[in-house]
């Protein structure tokens, strides 16, 4: 007997026909004693359509009310999915995030799960039912509906799997697993059988779209193996585990790209101690994470310097609001925004101790005349900010450099 | 200062433009100290569209999951309505039925409100916000989402107004108020300034579409006056109060028609004591209310008799299931179903003690050669089952008989 949590994304449940397909597959693969929890996202374009609806009322971001609105998407999915199983003669019961005991706090639209009390889900399983749980949504301790931000359904699935001590959390998606690069960009990218949690987290943090970082760290925190696999084929995908010693590997496990990057140059910032901190504090207070940072102090006695940094493009409007206030207060002379850039990264355990990796990435980009705006590195990665129109070329060049002869697994 | 609960139906909130129209009107009519609670239904065709979506999965009625699905409609409305007010600079906060403390029990899809704990709504009002509450939906003591059935948003509004001791519950609708007959059928129908709760309840019970009986009895139970008025004009509508002694009235206050009627003839029912009770018990167990009943016992020693009765057309499928089982068990020889009938009723306080009323209604129908299938009467009404194609003619004829010279108010 196994307890399995299976998560299906929006494209997998886009239509009643697709839901029936999923239900058939789940039932076909189920061993008689398995207990199944299914986590679903909103059907297809529902989330976009709800956002469009909201935009007809206002272009402002009323986060609490947006969460109230968006959470209906998953609620439709769970009801439809439960009815699908019921119509096939298999008892099933749907649960909203709040009903499944998923408790989160933080800013609306970006909730963090703080606790899970899945008593009602266990009860449904014990009664022989398939439990269908709404991803992406939770309840705050005050009883407010809150959503978990991008990839929130994965986070729900992994956290629920952890809290329920599931044997495996299966993330069904529209790709076959985790690749050494986005196969749409790099046709000979290599699918991995396994990847360590640490590497996957770094890949995700740097833009590999398969899963969001929050979900992967949940997997690590709760010691749940995550199987990333395709909705549309029966092939094994990639298993994310705490450690994987099985495969012989090069220094680089994958290449990631992130288009959700905007470059901000704060020009003429008061060159006194604490000013940079002040800018980043203000952004932090507004929950806008800053990624790459370069501070250029022109000359030691300059009274003003420049700070260049990146934020997510999706945070750019809010970042502008914060920064324009500082500009109005005279703390910054001018601010330049560039939304036409992207970040390319390579990831590998102990990257920085591997000899020559930096030279090889710069060489790969240099051969294609791709200009590097900012470089940043961490223990497990090296990232370069490049012009957005050059991203695909950059990825292909870097991938070719590190995966020259590696066969498809 | 007044505490006002205002309910807007699906057609009033069908588009973002209509929502803005409503918000503007609410703000224009508000006195500075007024506290406003707005109850909304699902936008326009949302409910129908959700039902259509469910029908793509199954034609069976999984009531719990349907409630899960349907309740998303109002949740979209409240979020959109709250954003509408916020975008106009007026603080507003949305509440699902569960968040507003609306507690119900009973069968899914037909919940009955048993308690209201509006603490969070009061808190929002005290903070100077307009509270937007989802109609039609509630939570059971076990934490299940349950809907309140037809007219459920009205019920929510009236019950909430009662629990909050509101000064008035305003039901905004697509008609100007309560008329002596449906103005679409009877162009010279009379709009009433006031009507007693008791008469309105009887009119509603007999099919007057303005409000559902459950809502009206809530008004009576909680002593809340209800103002039924138009979303699309500023005219005063009709106020439903516990008593109205102001107007001089004839014996009949209104004519109602009900198309949601199906006639069932159980032919050859065992003529032993308890058999009729058995049929009606089985229907009752399945929450199928029976309305008009005629029992014909052919001869005293006949071993089998006929029972003719009516149920709501919308219950006909379920009623058939119940009755066909009894037929299969041999308790009934044959069953005939007629979904092509309708019920015409006249309503007035102390109807039965008014002389000649029955003769006048039969005369009005007889002059038009309209056959009467079943007649039933109560303290405040007389109803006739007629062929559906004849309903409009029947209503016009009866209305002309009782409202000959009454001017439009």
């Amino acid at each position: 007997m196994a307890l399995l949590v299976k998560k299906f994304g929006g494209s997998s449940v886009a239509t009643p026909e697709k839901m029936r397909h999923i239900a058939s597959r789940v039932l076909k693969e189920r061993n008689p004693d398995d207990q199944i929890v299914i986590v679903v996202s909103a059907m297809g374009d529902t989330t976009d359509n709800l956002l469009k609806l909201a935009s007809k009322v206002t272009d402002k971001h009323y986060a609490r009310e947006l969460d109230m609105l968006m959470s209906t998407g998953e609620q439709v999915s769970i009801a439809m999915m439960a009815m699908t199983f019921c119509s096939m003669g298999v008892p099933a019961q749907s649960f909203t995030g709040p009903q499944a005991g998923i408790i989160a706090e933080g800013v609306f639209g970006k909730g963090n799960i703080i606790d899970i009390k899945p008593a009602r889900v266990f009860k449904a399983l014990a009664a022989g039912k398939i439990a269908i749980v709404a991803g992406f949504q939770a309840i705050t301790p005050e009883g407010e509906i809150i959503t978990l931000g991008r990839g929130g359904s994965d986070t729900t699935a992994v956290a629920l799997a952890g809290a329920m001590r599931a044997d495996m959390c299966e993330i069904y998606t529209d790709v076959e697993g985790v690749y050494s690069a986005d196969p749409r960009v790099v046709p000979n990218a290599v699918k991995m059988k396994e990847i360590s949690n640490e590497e996957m987290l770094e890949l995700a943090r740097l833009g590999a779209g398969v899963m969001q970082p929050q979900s992967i760290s949940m997997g690590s925190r709760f010691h749940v193996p995550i199987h990333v696999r395709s909705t549309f084929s029966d092939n094994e995908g990639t298993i994310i585990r705490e450690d994987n010693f099985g495969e012989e590997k090069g220094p680089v496990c994958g290449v990631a790209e992130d288009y959700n990057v905007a470059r901000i140059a704060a020009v003429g910032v008061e060159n006194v101690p604490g000013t940079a901190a002040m800018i980043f504090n203000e952004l932090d207070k507004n929950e806008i994470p800053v990624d790459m940072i370069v501070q250029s102090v022109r000359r030691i006695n300059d009274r003003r310097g420049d700070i260049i940094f990146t934020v997510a493009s999706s945070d750019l409007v809010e970042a502008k609001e914060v920064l324009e206030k500082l500009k109005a207060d005279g703390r910054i002379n001018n601010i330049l925004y560039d939304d036409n850039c992207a970040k390319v990264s390579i990831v590998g355990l102990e990257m920085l101790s591997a000899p020559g990796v930096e030279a090889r990435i710069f060489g790969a980009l240099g051969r294609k005349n791709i200009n590097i705006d900012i470089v940043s590195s961490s223990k497990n990665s090296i990232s370069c900010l490049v012009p957005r129109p050059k991203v695909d070329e950059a990825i292909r060049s870097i991938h070719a450099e590190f995966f020259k002869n590696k066969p498809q697994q």
Side-chain angles (χ1 to χ4, degrees), chain A:
Chain A
M1 185 183 109
L3 171 53
L4 302 174
V5 175
K6 294 165 183 268
K7 179 260 170 179
F8 294 92
S11 58
S12 308
V13 294
T15 63
E17 292 70 35
K18 289 189 175 176
M19 288 187 169
R20 233 182 326 262
H21 171 78
I22 286 173
S24 304
R25 177 175 177 168
V26 166
L27 296 175
K28 193 183 73 186
E29 292 178 356
R30 176 171 71 159
N31 289 315
D33 288 339
D34 285 350
Q35 295 189 316
I36 310 277
V37 177
I38 292 175
V39 174
V40 287
S41 306
M43 293 171 72
D45 299 328
T46 306
T47 302
D48 287 343
N49 291 339
L50 289 171
L51 281 173
K52 265 183 224 155
L53 188 64
S55 74
K56 286 186 189 163
V57 169
T58 175
D59 54 1
K60 286 219 179 116
H61 191 87
Y62 300 106
R64 180 191 182 277
E65 299 304 333
L66 274 176
D67 277 8
M68 179 68 86
L69 183 66
M70 304 317 288
S71 62
T72 61
E74 285 74 28
Q75 194 171 327
V76 169
S77 286
I78 54 170
M80 291 286 290
M81 199 72 218
M83 285 190 249
T84 302
F85 277 105
C86 290
S87 74
M88 296 164 88
V90 177
Q93 184 173 340
S94 67
F95 297 89
T96 63
Q99 287 179 336
I102 311 216
I103 301 162
E105 61 180 16
V107 178
F108 286 110
K110 295 176 185 175
N112 294 308
I113 295 177
I114 53 169
D115 198 6
I116 296 189
K117 295 180 174 167
R120 291 175 70 180
V121 182
F122 273 124
K123 201 173 153 191
L125 295 181
K129 293 177 184 171
I130 290 181
I132 320 281
V133 175
F136 185 62
Q137 55 176 245
I139 191 165
T140 69
E142 297 76 32
E144 299 282 1
I145 295 169
I146 188 168
T147 68
L148 305 177
R150 281 182 72 200
S153 292
D154 289 355
T155 311
T156 299
V158 178
L160 191 59
M164 298 183 77
R165 300 183 179 277
D167 297 284
M168 180 71 81
C169 179
E170 296 178 347
I171 304 288
Y172 288 83
T173 175
D174 50 3
V175 296
E176 291 275 337
V178 182
Y179 283 77
S180 56
D182 184 338
R184 288 166 301 187
V185 177
V186 182
N188 63 339
V190 179
K191 187 173 86 182
M192 303 173 217
K193 274 190 187 160
E194 296 198 341
I195 181 172
S196 72
N197 220 297
E198 196 174 352
E199 285 166 309
M200 188 66 217
L201 185 57
E202 193 71 356
L203 272 176
R205 192 180 70 78
L206 295 169
V210 184
M211 284 186 77
Q212 292 294 310
Q214 205 188 3
S215 328
I216 301 160
S217 45
M218 282 281 171
S220 168
R221 185 171 139 202
F222 287 112
H223 314 290
V224 189
I226 301 170
H227 188 174
V228 178
R229 61 191 307 187
S230 168
T231 311
F232 309 109
S233 85
D234 292 340
N235 299 339
E236 293 287 309
T238 302
I239 295 182
I240 307 167
R241 299 188 181 282
E242 293 193 62
D243 273 304
N244 72 320
F245 302 103
E247 295 183 60
E248 191 189 320
K249 304 197 303 183
V252 173
C253 85
V255 184
E257 76 274 19
D258 190 352
Y259 302 91
N260 185 27
V261 179
R263 180 177 170 277
I264 299 177
V267 181
V269 177
E270 283 182 315
N271 188 15
V272 291
T275 309
M278 178 270 303
I279 292 177
F280 297 128
N281 275 342
E282 285 298 314
L283 291 167
D284 186 56
K285 260 194 262 173
N286 289 273
E287 304 246 341
I288 302 165
V290 169
D291 182 16
M292 308 170 104
I293 301 174
V294 181
Q295 186 162 6
S296 74
V297 179
R298 286 168 198 163
R299 283 188 305 274
I300 285 180
N301 289 325
D302 258 10
R303 292 180 49 203
R304 301 244 166 188
D306 302 341
I307 299 174
I308 301 168
F309 57 92
T310 63
V311 299
S313 292
S314 49
D315 286 335
L316 189 56
V317 171
E318 285 173 312
K320 273 187 187 174
E321 279 179 24
V322 172
L323 293 165
E324 294 299 328
K325 265 185 218 157
L326 297 177
K327 186 180 160 191
D329 293 345
R331 317 289 296 263
I332 304 170
N333 282 349
N334 198 16
I335 307 165
L336 306 172
Y337 304 95
D338 174 12
D339 205 11
N340 195 29
C341 48
K343 190 170 65 170
V344 183
S345 309
I346 53 172
V347 169
L349 286 178
E350 312 301 336
M351 171 76 66
L352 289 190
S353 60
V357 170
E358 284 206 325
R360 288 171 74 187
I361 192 171
F362 297 159
L365 293 175
R367 280 194 293 279
K368 300 286 178 186
N369 285 317
I370 297 170
N371 196 40
I372 304 174
D373 246 1
I374 312 181
V375 177
S376 66
S377 54
S378 76
K379 187 178 144 223
N380 298 329
S381 66
I382 300 171
S383 303
C384 304
L385 195 71
V386 299
R388 192 169 298 178
K390 298 276 191 178
V391 182
D392 287 359
E393 210 183 342
I395 295 163
R396 280 191 287 263
S397 181
I398 294 172
H399 190 271
E401 173 66 31
F402 289 101
F403 293 86
K404 272 170 190 154
N405 299 307
K406 208 162 176 185
Q408 176 89 26
Q409 287 182 326

